[in-house]
Amino acid sequence: MKPAQKVLTTILWALTVLIMVSVIGAGLWRKGQRELPDLGAAPAFELTDQDDRPVTLASLRGKPFVGNFVFTRCGGPCPMMTSKMATLQKTLPAPDLQFLSISVDPATDTPAVLKAYAGKYGADESRWKFLTGAPDAVYATARGFFLTALPANDKNPIIHDERFVLVDATGKIRGYYHSNNEAEVARLKQDAVVLAEDAATSR
């Protein structure tokens, strides 16, 4: 082999190895990003959105979503939770990613009330649904997500979980993230992007 050919062959082999290392490294990075836990199936539910239209787990199939439980009269954590959901909506523009806010005060939070609440927070209503329904259905949905939601009684106000839940396009729960923990919310953003990319590429 001539010296020039030998040098060229060496360069080509070096480039090949470099490309292979880059590809493998990228694959390992993506694999690391995608290793989200499978925490079980999200509950089947049938609720009503702010436009008085039915929303079910089946109707969301094919699109991952971030969910939470709030109510419009809440003077505690709900404004913060809803503001953070609004930020997630703006910073995660993937059309395959949906957002659900389920009211734990269904007697008050009619579709019309939720419609006004959605407007207050600048909701993109093509992606962000505010849901209500019969009390039994709402609280059963919360239990199905393994989240706390209890109606008010003579001794206690409405109690509800302050975590976000992330569900993939197949209806599997993939993570919980406390709304007042900035590190967990940042991780939610990363995980939601991964699931949105998965949904887009699986079509």
Side-chain angles (χ1 to χ4, degrees):
M1 183 180 292
K2 295 180 180 180
Q5 291 177 321
K6 186 174 182 180
V7 170
L8 181 59
T9 300
T10 301
I11 292 173
L12 289 174
W13 271 110
L15 287 173
T16 301
V17 170
L18 181 61
I19 290 170
M20 290 176 65
V21 169
S22 299
V23 169
I24 292 171
L28 289 174
W29 180 83
R30 290 293 295 163
K31 182 180 179 182
Q33 290 293 306
R34 292 174 184 270
E35 288 178 351
L36 302 180
D38 180 345
L39 301 175
F45 60 83
E46 184 171 354
L47 299 171
T48 302
D49 72 8
Q50 66 267 37
D51 291 315
D52 205 19
R53 296 178 300 197
V55 175
T56 67
L57 182 65
S59 71
L60 295 166
R61 183 75 58 167
K63 294 184 179 181
F65 64 85
V66 179
N68 67 0
F69 288 82
V70 296
F71 63 107
T72 63
R73 295 188 300 160
C74 174
C78 299
M80 177 271 291
M81 293 176 69
T82 307
S83 293
K84 289 194 175 181
M85 189 76 99
T87 299
L88 289 171
Q89 172 201 239
K90 291 176 183 177
T91 57
L92 300 173
D96 287 304
L97 183 62
Q98 301 285 297
F99 301 89
L100 302 183
S101 290
I102 302 173
S103 172
V104 292
D105 185 16
T108 299
D109 289 340
T110 63
V113 170
L114 291 175
K115 183 79 170 179
Y117 191 70
K120 177 181 176 181
Y121 286 92
D124 174 358
E125 296 186 41
S126 68
R127 300 174 63 214
W128 190 358
K129 308 299 182 187
F130 292 77
L131 304 182
T132 189
D136 287 349
V138 168
Y139 297 120
T141 300
R143 288 193 300 272
F145 278 114
F146 308 106
L147 294 173
T148 301
L150 300 172
N153 56 37
D154 293 339
K155 296 182 179 180
N156 298 302
I158 293 172
I159 296 173
H160 65 92
D161 217 298
E162 297 179 32
R163 290 177 292 170
F164 295 112
V165 58
L166 179 63
V167 178
D168 69 20
T170 70
K172 296 285 188 179
I173 299 171
R174 306 304 296 273
Y176 294 96
Y177 312 82
H178 206 289
S179 59
N180 64 11
N181 185 310
E182 293 302 328
E184 291 189 16
V185 173
R187 191 169 73 249
L188 168 58
K189 292 179 182 180
Q190 295 173 349
D191 294 346
V193 167
V194 168
L195 294 188
E197 290 175 352
D198 284 347
T201 56
S202 64
R203 291 180 176 176

